[in-house]
Amino acid sequence: MVNGIERPLDLLNNSKGKEVLVALKGDKQFVGTLVAFDIHINLVLDHTKEMQNGELKRTVGLSFLRGDTIIFISPASTNLK
Amino acid sequence: MVNGIERPLDLLNNSKGKEVLVALKGDKQFVGTLVAFDIHINLVLDHTKEMQNGELKRTVGLSFLRGDTIIFISPASTNLK
Amino acid sequence: MVNGIERPLDLLNNSKGKEVLVALKGDKQFVGTLVAFDIHINLVLDHTKEMQNGELKRTVGLSFLRGDTIIFISPASTNLK
Amino acid sequence: MVNGIERPLDLLNNSKGKEVLVALKGDKQFVGTLVAFDIHINLVLDHTKEMQNGELKRTVGLSFLRGDTIIFISPASTNLK
Amino acid sequence: MVNGIERPLDLLNNSKGKEVLVALKGDKQFVGTLVAFDIHINLVLDHTKEMQNGELKRTVGLSFLRGDTIIFISPASTNLK
Amino acid sequence: MVNGIERPLDLLNNSKGKEVLVALKGDKQFVGTLVAFDIHINLVLDHTKEMQNGELKRTVGLSFLRGDTIIFISPASTNLK
Amino acid sequence: MVNGIERPLDLLNNSKGKEVLVALKGDKQFVGTLVAFDIHINLVLDHTKEMQNGELKRTVGLSFLRGDTIIFISPASTNLK
């Protein structure tokens, strides 16, 4: 166990209220504040920005992302230790 | 918990009767009033408009969208706080 | 609840006996009378016409469509309110 | 209920012993006599012919088709009413 | 019921010890003696030959084929009646 | 039953400790000693070599291969009888 | 049983706290310290680096990788025996 992360979902739980980067299949990327998630890795983000090649493509505000299309989720700018 | 959104499906519940933007795999986009959803994220939209590159492609009225092909759902023009 | 549509499958139930437009993955489209459906969104259509770019490609009469490949289903020319 | 077809599988049941057209993902098509099916829509066809662009590609006799790759199944030349 | 084939898996059961042609997604084809199968349509073939455009690509002897990638299975040169 | 292979997983069980060839979707191939497998066909290989067009691409030592991407598994150079 | 690896997940368990290479569908690769995993092969990596053609593409720190997109996982530079 490292910093309270025993199972993968613990990282998502620790990231609630923080900004996360979400990469989807097909090279889509979203940045937003993690509001909620479930065991299917469905997410709700707030202040969601869709990024393309590092540039802002559009702002979609609140969004529901289906877990099925997600490749990875990373809290912005973080290392555990 | 932010504004009553504890689980991802709470956002969909809050969006009933409101206009939502739905992005599907393969770059399809629909805009319509969210009428109903289920745990598979199957949706019923009313006044559905299929969009392509920001332009109206066609109007399909009432529609059933299979959850399996959905990437994200966003209530039009919204931020939680 | 809008016009008796509380869950997505209610729209399919209301559409039995009516003409529906069905869009499949890979840009296939079928128009036909909805005869039956199940929870996997498998459909039976009658008087099925396969369309391509808005033109009739072929007539296949009665058909069984597997739910797995369906993107959306829309009763022809309809809005709830 | 139209002509005894209440659920999608009823159409397959009615089509046993008859010639059906089966379209698979990736534009493959088979024509053959429907011998058996199960709830996964796995099929056994007899006198199976693989078609391509409306022409006979090869004859494969008895065949087992996995339901997972099937898009639609249609009894040859039929309308319910 | 035709020749003892009531369900699709009956054809696989009847084909044990016989040569079968197996077509996979992505235009791969294998020919070999069917040794075993399970409900996921996982197969074991013996004397397996990988074919490409009707020509022998390589011999892989005993092989385990995952059902998930299989499109159709056909006993070599057969019709039921 | 041929040489103790009654179900497909029996072949994997017989191949433990032996070199196997594993073909994945997308034309990837691995060769290595089969250490472990489970019912999802997840594998652990030792001395794993990634091959491309019959040539060594890289050596990855111990590896975990997800069953979901596997097309076939074959013990090196074998026929049952 | 080789070195305590009886089932595939044992390799992941043995790799906790060690650097692993993770290959995803679509030729994405990540290198990082394995912090946690679950039965869906969802992973948490720390000090995650996204690699492309053997070169560092970007550093994403802590990351959650969905098991669904993973092809293989390999502890860096290892052979069992």
Side-chain angles (χ1 to χ4, degrees), chain B residues 9-23:
Chain B
L9 294 189
D10 292 341
L11 175 59
L12 300 186
N13 210 39
N14 292 352
S15 301
K16 275 186 172 177
K18 296 182 188 153
E19 188 166 77
V20 295
L21 167 68
V22 183

Side-chain angles (χ1 to χ4, degrees), chain E residues 16 24 28 30 35-38 42-44 46-48 50 58 60-66 68-69, chain F residues 2 5-9 11-12 21 25 27 29 41 67-75 78-81:
Chain E
K16 275 186 172 178
L24 306 185
K28 279 184 197 298
F30 291 88
V35 174
F37 69 91
D38 62 24
N42 294 320
L43 307 179
V44 170
D46 198 7
H47 302 289
T48 317
E50 185 173 352
R58 64 175 163 177
V60 288
L62 262 175
S63 63
F64 174 98
L65 297 179
R66 272 190 77 243
D68 181 52
T69 61
Chain F
V2 180
I5 298 181
E6 216 170 329
R7 291 156 308 177
L9 295 188
L11 175 58
L12 299 187
L21 168 69
K25 293 174 190 170
D27 268 317
Q29 293 204 340
I41 323 297
D68 181 51
T69 61
I70 292 173
I71 294 175
F72 77 82
I73 303 165
S74 177
T78 59
N79 279 319
L80 262 189
K81 40 180 191 179

Side-chain angles (χ1 to χ4, degrees), chain A residues 46-47 58 60-62 64 66, chain B residues 29 67 73-74 78 80-81:
Chain A
D46 197 7
H47 301 290
R58 64 174 163 177
V60 288
L62 262 176
F64 174 98
R66 271 190 78 244
Chain B
Q29 294 203 339
I73 303 164
S74 176
T78 59
L80 261 190
K81 40 177 191 181

Side-chain angles (χ1 to χ4, degrees), chain D residues 46-47 58 60-62 64, chain E residues 29 67 73-74 78-81:
Chain D
D46 198 6
H47 302 289
R58 64 175 164 178
V60 288
L62 261 176
F64 174 99
Chain E
Q29 293 204 339
I73 304 165
S74 177
T78 58
N79 280 319
L80 262 189
K81 40 180 191 179

